[in-house]
């Protein structure tokens, strides 16, 4: 197995808690060095992982000559850091969201193409066990044609850190929205159209959004309805998948699926006259509902770092193609534009 000499940029939450340990533990990666402006974090990395630390990325790339640069810094630094890595002969694995704007994302893609390097974005929520379990439900076609996907993330949090401020690229549209909208695009396998969005700042202590309502239709007309609310005392079910013949709701780690076989329905005589027979509001037909459950605990998430190694070291197709990451960036940008209107 080819081992990728890897530099991790940014030793904050996602860098320290996710990318550093997974790079260190995976046999396909060698943690060659880390980059962060804070000396105490470089010292911590040296103590825990016996790895060289740099405050300057350019200096690190010159000294270490890595194969791969994993960018876990705040979003507003992603573009310049990625382009620098490309120009120094490195591939780039960057955290989400890919960049601060669609224009910046396109600059990254142009840099990738111009230098002949590889680029993939860390969009791990499409790899979660709940999505793997949902895919098995959808593959069984229990619900019929899907017409709506409702995704909700809810909590009450008085956010006070850098992600609570617009100047830092913060806000829940960029934070959770980059995950949830990507999941919707991934599940439908289509691009978005007719995008609408409302952003509010309610409980957060900065000026960035902590309430997001985004709705878009896919090219075939599937409605993706996203609620991200960090200012609600009551939590809401994270997923509700609606099809022509049933629906599936995720609650407490269990997919509850309710559906019927359309072939089991009796014929119903259509009554289109203005005088309803017997003044009834419905046909009174019996729907032979069936129910089943699927436990998320029975499924394993996709190992993102395995997929990462397959792309960067084994020349296999990217787990997240860059055009899908760009589409996510386009939807996020259109959401911001619509919210501003």
């Amino acid at each position: 197995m080819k081992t990728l000499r890897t530099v991790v940029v940014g030793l904050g939450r996602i860098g320290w808690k996710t990318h550093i340990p997974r790079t260190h533990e995976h046999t396909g990666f060698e943690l060659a060095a880390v980059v962060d402006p804070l000396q105490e974090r470089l010292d911590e990395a040296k103590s825990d992982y016996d790895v060289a630390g740099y405050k300057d990325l350019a200096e690190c790339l010159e000294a270490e000559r890595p194969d791969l640069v994993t960018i876990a810094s705040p979003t507003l630094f992603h573009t310049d850091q990625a382009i620098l890595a490309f120009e120094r002969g490195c591939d780039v694995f960057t955290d989400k969201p890919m960049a601060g704007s669609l224009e910046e994302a396109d600059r990254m893609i142009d840099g990738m193409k111009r230098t002949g390097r590889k680029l993939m974005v860390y969009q791990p929520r499409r790899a979660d066990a709940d999505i793997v379990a949902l895919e098995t439900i959808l593959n069984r076609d229990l619900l019929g044609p899907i017409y709506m996907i409702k995704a909700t993330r809810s909590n009450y949090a008085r956010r006070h850190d850098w992600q609570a401020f617009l100047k830092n690229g913060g806000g829940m549209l960029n934070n959770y929205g980059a995950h949830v909208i990507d999941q919707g695009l991934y599940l439908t396998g289509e691009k978005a159209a007719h995008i609408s969005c409302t952003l509010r700042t309610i409980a957060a202590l900065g000026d960035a959004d902590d309430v997001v309502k985004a709705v878009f239709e896919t090219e075939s007309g599937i409605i993706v309805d996203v609620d991200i609310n960090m200012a609600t005392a009551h939590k809401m079910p994270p997923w509700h998948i609606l099809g022509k013949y049933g629906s599936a709701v995720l609650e407490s780690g269990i997919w509850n699926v309710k559906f019927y076989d359309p072939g089991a329905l009796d014929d119903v005589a259509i009554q289109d006259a203005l005088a309803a027979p017997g003044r009834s509001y419905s046909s009174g037909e019996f729907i032979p509902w069936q129910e089943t459950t699927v436990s998320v605990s029975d499924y394993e998430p996709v190992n993102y770092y395995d997929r990462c190694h397959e792309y960067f070291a084994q020349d296999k197709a990217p787990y997240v193609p860059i055009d899908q990451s760009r589409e996510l960036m386009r939807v996020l940008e259109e959401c911001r534009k619509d919210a501003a209107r």
Side-chain angles (χ1 to χ4, degrees):
M1 176 185 290
K2 180 180 179 180
T3 301
L4 297 171
R5 282 178 48 79
T6 304
V7 165
V8 176
V9 183
L11 302 182
R13 285 173 294 231
I14 192 68
W16 187 253
K17 295 181 179 180
T18 298
H19 294 298
I20 291 281
R22 291 184 183 175
T23 300
H24 178 72
E25 294 162 2
H26 198 289
T27 56
F29 299 86
E30 174 194 350
L31 182 60
V34 296
V35 179
D36 195 275
L38 299 180
Q39 185 61 49
E40 60 266 30
R41 291 185 173 181
L42 298 179
D43 293 341
E44 190 175 11
K46 175 66 175 177
S47 173
D48 288 9
Y49 294 99
D50 191 26
V51 65
Y54 298 82
K55 291 186 177 181
D56 180 72
L57 176 58
E59 179 186 352
C60 174
L61 297 179
E62 180 66 27
E64 300 293 340
R65 304 296 176 109
D67 303 302
L68 180 68
V69 175
T70 298
I71 298 177
S73 56
T75 307
L76 68 164
F77 300 124
H78 288 187
T79 300
D80 289 342
Q81 291 175 341
I83 292 174
L84 175 61
F86 292 145
E87 292 176 344
R88 297 299 178 88
C90 305
D91 294 330
V92 171
F93 181 40
T94 186
D95 209 84
K96 64 81 199 171
M98 178 179 175
S101 68
L102 183 60
E103 184 273 333
E104 291 181 0
D106 283 340
R107 283 177 54 208
M108 293 171 70
I109 295 171
D110 289 344
M112 173 195 71
K113 293 178 178 178
R114 173 171 49 84
T115 58
R117 305 312 308 178
K118 294 180 178 180
L119 170 65
M120 191 166 74
V121 182
Y122 185 53
Q123 294 169 204
R125 296 284 78 88
R126 63 166 65 186
D128 284 350
D130 58 345
I131 299 299
V132 176
L134 173 59
E135 289 180 296
T136 66
I137 297 169
L138 297 178
N139 288 338
R140 292 169 65 187
D141 198 27
L142 299 178
L143 309 181
I146 302 301
Y147 68 87
M148 184 180 295
I149 295 175
K150 296 177 69 68
T152 303
R153 302 296 178 268
S154 55
N155 198 4
Y156 197 99
R158 300 177 70 229
R159 197 76 186 251
H160 69 287
D161 64 339
W162 69 266
Q163 288 197 0
F165 297 91
L166 291 174
K167 67 178 182 179
N168 299 325
M172 296 312 297
L173 178 64
N174 270 352
N175 193 357
Y176 285 8
H179 286 310
V180 180
I181 292 172
D182 177 65
Q183 288 173 311
L185 293 170
Y186 170 69
L187 288 169
T188 62
E190 300 178 21
K191 292 185 177 181
H194 308 298
I195 301 164
S196 65
C197 182
T198 298
L199 303 176
R200 294 286 186 269
T201 306
I202 305 296
L205 303 183
D207 60 350
D209 50 278
D210 63 348
V211 173
V212 178
K213 178 67 174 182
V215 179
F216 63 87
E217 290 184 44
T218 68
E219 295 165 316
S220 69
I222 300 173
I223 302 166
V224 180
D225 184 348
V226 174
D227 271 312
I228 302 171
N229 194 322
M230 296 294 106
T232 174
H234 291 86
K235 288 198 172 186
M236 298 173 278
W239 289 105
H240 190 176
I241 314 298
L242 299 98
K244 185 173 183 178
Y245 307 130
S247 63
V249 178
L250 180 64
E251 296 178 297
S252 302
I254 303 293
W255 280 105
N256 296 292
V257 187
K258 186 174 182 178
F259 62 99
Y260 69 85
D261 176 1
L265 295 180
D266 295 330
D267 290 334
V268 175
I270 295 175
Q271 303 287 345
D272 61 354
L274 292 178
R279 298 187 179 88
S280 172
Y281 281 99
S282 68
S283 66
E285 71 172 323
F286 171 75
I287 303 292
W289 290 110
Q290 303 177 57
E291 296 189 49
T292 189
T293 59
V294 176
S295 176
V296 173
S297 64
D298 292 337
Y299 294 83
E300 291 291 330
V302 174
N303 188 315
Y304 212 103
Y305 265 73
D306 282 348
R307 298 294 183 267
C308 185
H309 190 270
E310 289 173 357
Y311 173 53
F312 288 113
Q314 303 174 42
D315 290 327
K316 293 186 179 181
Y319 179 61
V320 182
I322 198 62
D323 63 311
Q324 294 182 11
S325 295
R326 188 190 186 278
E327 173 65 4
L328 171 61
M329 289 300 305
R330 186 186 71 84
V331 175
L332 293 175
E333 185 133 311
E334 290 300 317
C335 282
R336 284 189 287 268
K337 288 180 180 178
D338 189 74
R341 287 192 289 266

